[in-house]
Structures are given as C-alpha cells and as structure tokens.
Amino acid sequence: MSTSKVIGIVILAIIWIWLVWLLLSAGGINLKNILIAAMTGIIIFVPLYKKYFGKE
C-alpha cells in the first residue's frame, strides 16, 4: 500500500472523527446519534478495508 493511500485514509478518518464529534456535541449522546455515527463509519471504512487490506 503506497504512502499516498495511507495519507488519504488517515485524512478521511480525521474528517470523519471531526464530523462525528460535531454530531454528538450538537445533538447530544443518545442512541440515535451513536447509531448514525456507527453506520456512517461502516459505510465509509468497510469498503476501504476490503479494497486495500482484504487482498493481501
């Protein structure tokens, strides 16, 4: 895996963490917001994991 791909995934993860933090700070920590954060994480990171780490 090249350095540019690792940097791209790290930047995407940082942006996702920032957006989840905004969601939880604005809407409060409740089950709905936690589920939204988990689902977006799955939608974003599972395909990336399968693409870059699954075919080793």
Side-chain angles (χ1 to χ4, degrees), residues 12-46:
L12 182 63
I14 290 170
I15 292 170
W16 179 79
I17 290 169
W18 175 64
L19 288 172
V20 167
W21 177 78
L22 285 176
L23 170 72
L24 294 176
S25 65
I29 299 176
N30 55 29
L31 183 60
K32 177 186 161 197
N33 289 342
I34 291 171
L35 287 174
I36 290 172
M39 287 187 287
T40 58
I42 291 169
I43 289 169
I44 293 171
F45 294 109
V46 168

